[in-house]
Amino acid sequence: MFGPLVTLLICSSAVARQVNISVDAGCSVGVLPPIARFFGADEPNEATTPDGELLLEHLGDLGPHQTYFRTHNLLTTCDPPGDTTPRLKWGCTDAYTEDSEGNPIYNWTIVDGIFDTYLERNVRPYVQIGFTPKVLASDPEPYTFLFNATNTYNIIFTGWSHVPTSWQKWGELVYQWVRHEVELRGADEVNSWYWEVWNEPNIGYWNGTQEQYFTLYDYAVANVRRALPTARVGGPEVAGGPDGDWLGLFLDHTINGTNNATSGEGSPLDFISFHAKGLPTYTNATDTVPGHLSMNVSASLQNVRDAFAVIASYPSQKDKPVVIGEDDPDGCAACQSQAYSYRNGLIFPSYTAVAFSRDIDLAARYGINLEGTLTWAFAFQDTPYFDGFRVLATRGIDKPIMNVFRMFGKLTGDRVVANSSAQLSLDAILADSVRHEPDVGVLAAFNQTESKLAVMIWNYHDDALPKPDAHITLDVSGLDDRWQGCQSANLTHYRIGPTHSNSYTRWQAMGSPQDPSAAQIAELKAVGMLQTLDHPRQVRVEHGRVELEFALPIHAISLLILQQ
């Protein structure tokens, strides 16, 4: 869907823009946080489908740092009972029901299957404790819903979003869950997970008050810790950055509020989480400009900035790990519109490179311990090829967006000084996104253990319109500080672009088949992986320097690896 809009992205004018990029491999500015290793989705049951299992395998291979997965609906009741058929924005596990006398019945079979699927593929749970089982919901009907890509979003906020009728039963449910996981998998394994309470309790996902959410949190966290005193707990996964004073009031409660479960002061909080979203729009055609998509990375970065500012204002909290629990270009993975037509092509990965690198810059500015940024995108089984949903893969074929995470997975070690003559300042992007000149940016890291320099360079603009290529002149210095007496290095140049690491343009070139042959599917799967621009080669190192030149199309990304 929306293919013609994205096709515009592969066009470029003949006049390239000269961009000079310098990297000082010998000048470290601290460890580069491995943030791009968190993922999530509304639909937990998609994990155990064939496409879900394959994608989880790919996520688990991003390494070397641990991948985590977060999902809604791990405590949601199947409606009708036992029906775990995946559908948009819905999922269920039947983890909690009651007998005719109101006694609890715990059933972890479906949850176990989901977590087993993660763990077998080197993915660990970022456990979301939610939502309300039907028999505990204070307003249970209607409980289920049928969502399609053009529905009004609010139809999803049904019985599962309501306050539990009994805090004691809610707390005991959480305790039994965590105890089960410890007995099944061992304390060491479960200690490596994240446990967070609910999703976006400041909007319709929570049909209760803020104070009631604090109670929900207190009972959940107290019972996680009752089952496993060393478990890692946090929240509140608030939407819209800090959402005014919402995040601050939550932090106040965890520091010195009255704990509704224990009557003590405060509530445990090991990590802080919030959400950030961009705001894409579609501009109709005029006499001079065709209709086109425009992204808005500043909307997301402003959410991040504002939340970081709140966290930094709390001396007792500012050093705690922070996870941006959803960090996406828009607010609805299961919705479709012209404003969401970026999802199949190159804008999605180049937007992500800009957003995540600037998240790191904002964390440095505010002194925040940024541990992760989570991409809310997964896969939908048996939907059309390149259907327009915000997913990482389509029918078992990785989209270009997957390859930016493969690139981030190779950026390890210490961040080193890197500058581009065409990289916009952080403040400029915060104020006006990337509306004028493209942002030709750079992020670089040196891994001492692997004796490897990795340099990521992107050419990004908010608009899905043709733009000139960037002609890159890359000057790497400081290698003599790392490689004494080295006269040559191995160069591997990875590229996400119009003809590399891009299953979407290859599918279009095939005629956009919805019933591709086995040979076509194999070809699409191959080009969906991260590809090199050319063959690896030796380059000369002179006086600790390497100079390289190449063209970088609009919305393309290069990752250059220099290694002894």
Side-chain angles (χ1 to χ4, degrees), residues 315-395:
S316 65
Q317 306 293 83
K318 66 171 296 186
D319 293 331
K320 289 184 176 177
V322 173
V323 178
I324 307 174
E326 294 180 24
D327 193 353
D328 304 300
D330 69 83
C332 180
C335 301
Q336 295 171 331
S337 76
Q338 288 181 309
Y340 295 165
S341 58
Y342 67 88
R343 293 166 168 178
N344 289 329
L346 294 179
I347 288 189
F348 197 178
S350 57
Y351 171 103
T352 301
V354 173
F356 283 21
S357 65
R358 301 311 171 92
D359 289 342
I360 294 170
D361 292 342
L362 282 166
R365 174 177 289 186
Y366 285 93
I368 296 298
N369 179 14
L370 181 60
E371 193 153 281
T373 54
L374 189 149
T375 297
W376 198 254
F378 189 54
F380 295 130
Q381 185 78 19
D382 296 331
T383 57
Y385 286 91
F386 298 97
D387 48 32
F389 293 118
R390 192 173 74 230
V391 292
L392 304 175
T394 176
R395 303 290 290 269

Side-chain angles (χ1 to χ4, degrees), residues 29 67 77 135 171 246 300 335 366 372 382 390 407 466 477 488 493-494:
V29 291
T67 299
T77 305
V135 294
W246 212 103
S300 172
C335 301
Y366 285 93
D382 296 331
R390 192 173 74 230
M407 286 185 171
S477 63
S488 66
H493 187 164
Y494 297 98

Side-chain angles (χ1 to χ4, degrees), residues 92 107 164 185 207 220 275 307 326 331 338 349 358 374 407 424 426 475 482 490 529 538 559:
C92 62
N107 182 351
R185 307 182 193 280
N207 266 302
H275 297 175
E326 294 180 24
Q338 288 181 309
R358 301 311 171 92
L374 189 149
M407 286 185 171
L424 301 180
L426 176 58
D475 179 10
R482 304 288 189 174
N490 298 311
M529 306 303 285
Q538 288 273 309
L559 178 73

Side-chain angles (χ1 to χ4, degrees), residues 476 479 483 486-491 537-548 562:
V476 178
L479 291 172
W483 302 332
C486 178
Q487 295 183 341
S488 66
N490 298 311
L491 170 66
R537 59 189 175 94
Q538 288 273 309
V539 295
R540 185 169 180 78
V541 179
E542 294 186 284
H543 308 295
R545 306 182 82 95
V546 170
E547 292 187 0
L548 301 167
L562 287 169

Side-chain angles (χ1 to χ4, degrees), residues 508-527:
Q508 288 180 307
M510 292 174 176
S512 304
Q514 284 299 335
D515 189 21
S517 67
Q520 287 176 317
I521 292 171
E523 182 180 350
L524 290 169
K525 287 187 175 185
V527 299

Side-chain angles (χ1 to χ4, degrees), residues 402-437:
M402 267 297 291
N403 289 310
V404 77
F405 299 117
R406 293 187 171 106
M407 286 185 171
F408 272 115
K410 297 178 184 297
L411 276 163
T412 58
D414 286 350
R415 185 177 184 179
V416 297
V417 170
N419 294 291
S420 166
S421 63
Q423 184 159 4
L424 301 180
S425 71
L426 176 58
D427 288 327
I429 293 184
L430 283 166
D432 200 29
S433 200
V434 187
R435 300 296 194 195
H436 305 293
E437 291 295 321

Side-chain angles (χ1 to χ4, degrees), residues 12 18 55 68 116 164 168 197 244 254 443 446 449 506 544 560:
S12 64
Q18 179 61 44
L55 181 52
Y68 285 89
D116 288 347
Q168 287 70 31
V197 183
T254 63
L443 181 67
F446 192 91
T449 302
R506 185 67 59 87
L560 298 101

